[in-house]
Amino acid sequence: MRMICWYQAEYEQSFQQLQARFAELDVKLEGHVVEKINSRFLRLNPDMALVLDEDGLSLSASGMKMQPDWCAEIPRLKRASLKSEMIARACQLGEKPTLIDATAGLGHDSLLMAHLGANVRLIERHPILFVLLEYAKAQAERDSFLQATMQRIQLIHADSNCYLNELAQKGEYLDVVYLDPMFPQRDQNQQAIKKQAQVKKQMQLLHMLLPEDGEMDLGDQLLDLAKKIAKRVIVKRPRHAVYLAEQHPDHQWLGDACRFDAYFPKG
C-alpha cells in the first residue's frame, strides 16, 4: 500500500517517525513538503492523503480533513455517566467488563466505554486508520483528564474476523464484544440510512478510506464469532435498520437515532 502525506517543513521529524511506523505496517508513505496547508490547498488537492500540520495527523480528501480527536471528546466524557448513557446499560459498564470493540471506527465509543470503566481492546485492520488511532491515543495520553482512561484501552492491529476466531480456538472468554458495522446498506429503510451516513464529514471520509468490499465490512460474520467468546454481544444499529445477519436479538435498548441489540449466547 502507498499513501501520500502533505506536511509543513517544521514537522519533518514527526513525518520521519510516521514514515517509519507505516513501514512497519507495509505502507509506503511518500512525503511532500508544503509551505502552508489550508482549506484552499485541500480543495486544490482533493485526492486522499494524510496531512501533518498544527492540528496533528489527519486524513484528507475532497477538500475535507478529519482525525479521531479523542481530546475533543472530553466535554462529552465529563457529561457521561452510567445512568445517562444507553451504551453503558447495554454493555453493563458498571461491572467494569473486559470488552472487545471489533469495529473500531474513530474509537469514540471505545473511549466512552473505557472512561466509564471498561477494559477495551480496540481492533482495527486498516493500517491508515490504525495509525490515526495510535496518534489519537498518544495525544490523549498527554492529557491529565484522559490518562487514566488510556490505561484501559489497548489498540490491536488485526482483522477482527481472524482475531475473534483465534480467541475462540484458544477458548478465551470475555464479558462483551461490541459491534458497530459501518455499512448497513442492505437495511430496508434505505433513505434513512443514507441520510444518517452523510451527516458528518468524518464518516464520509471513513467511507472513502474503507470502501465496502464484502461481507466482513457488513459485520455478519463477526456476530457469530463474537457469540463464541462473549457473555454478551452488543450491536449498535440505526434505529430502523434490519437485524445484523438477520438474527433477532435477545434484548434491545432504543434511542431516537440508534438502538443497541443484545445477544446472550450463554444464556
Side-chain angles (χ1 to χ4, degrees):
M1 183 183 293
R2 173 180 167 275
M3 192 70 167
I4 289 175
C5 180
W6 307 107
Y7 67 98
Q8 296 170 186
E10 60 265 36
Y11 300 104
E12 176 66 38
Q13 184 176 357
S14 296
F15 168 74
Q16 291 180 2
Q17 294 172 348
L18 193 64
Q19 191 177 45
R21 179 61 179 130
F22 272 115
E24 294 173 354
L25 300 175
D26 296 322
V27 176
K28 182 179 180 180
L29 193 63
E30 181 181 309
H32 296 276
V33 179
V34 179
E35 183 176 347
K36 180 64 177 177
I37 299 173
N38 52 27
S39 57
R40 182 175 184 273
F41 173 84
L42 295 176
R43 288 195 303 271
L44 293 174
N45 294 273
D47 292 340
M48 182 167 289
L50 289 170
V51 170
L52 197 56
D53 59 9
E54 63 271 10
D55 295 326
L57 180 65
S58 305
L59 181 71
S60 72
S62 302
M64 302 180 290
K65 72 175 184 178
M66 74 86 178
Q67 58 185 174
D69 187 350
W70 290 1
C71 293
E73 295 292 300
I74 289 176
R76 181 194 178 195
L77 299 181
K78 288 182 175 179
R79 295 191 302 268
S81 70
L82 293 172
K83 291 184 178 180
S84 66
E85 295 290 341
M86 191 162 54
I87 194 174
R89 299 192 293 276
C91 295
Q92 289 189 324
L93 298 183
E95 298 184 4
K96 303 186 184 306
T98 56
L99 185 150
I100 285 180
D101 183 346
T103 50
L106 298 175
H108 292 163
D109 283 348
S110 280
L111 178 65
L112 176 62
M113 291 188 287
H115 174 70
L116 293 175
N119 292 293
V120 181
R121 284 183 239 175
L122 191 57
I123 315 300
E124 177 51 53
R125 67 174 176 170
H126 197 290
I128 305 298
L129 183 53
F130 180 75
V131 172
L132 284 165
L133 289 168
E134 276 192 325
Y135 189 91
K137 186 172 188 283
Q139 296 298 106
E141 286 170 346
R142 299 188 183 100
D143 187 281
S144 58
F145 179 81
L146 292 174
Q147 284 175 354
T149 298
M150 291 305 101
Q151 294 176 11
R152 293 192 290 273
I153 294 179
Q154 179 185 6
L155 294 177
I156 298 174
H157 181 235
D159 181 289
S160 289
N161 287 273
C162 297
Y163 187 79
L164 296 186
N165 192 47
E166 288 175 5
L167 294 185
Q169 291 178 358
K170 294 176 182 177
E172 186 169 344
Y173 200 54
L174 299 146
D175 295 317
V176 182
V177 172
Y178 179 76
L179 304 174
D180 181 11
M182 280 186 59
F183 297 103
Q185 274 90 341
R186 292 187 300 166
D187 297 347
Q188 295 166 341
N189 195 338
Q190 290 282 333
Q191 292 304 115
I193 302 305
K194 289 180 180 178
K195 186 178 293 185
Q196 290 174 13
Q198 293 170 357
V199 170
K200 293 183 179 181
K201 66 180 181 181
Q202 289 183 331
M203 293 309 297
Q204 291 181 43
L205 286 179
L206 270 188
H207 278 237
M208 294 170 67
L209 178 67
L210 309 170
E212 182 182 351
D213 59 4
E215 291 299 303
M216 294 201 317
D217 284 318
L218 292 169
D220 288 5
Q221 295 182 42
L222 289 175
L223 181 54
D224 286 332
L225 286 169
K227 285 181 173 182
K228 295 178 180 180
I229 64 168
K231 296 177 184 177
R232 62 172 49 203
V233 180
I234 302 299
V235 182
K236 183 179 180 180
R237 302 292 277 169
R239 183 181 172 98
H240 300 291
V242 297
Y243 301 127
L244 184 63
E246 301 179 354
Q247 296 187 33
H248 196 286
D250 298 311
H251 190 72
Q252 285 185 317
W253 289 264
L254 297 175
D256 294 334
C258 71
R259 70 174 197 263
F260 294 94
D261 295 343
Y263 302 84
F264 309 125
K266 300 298 182 183

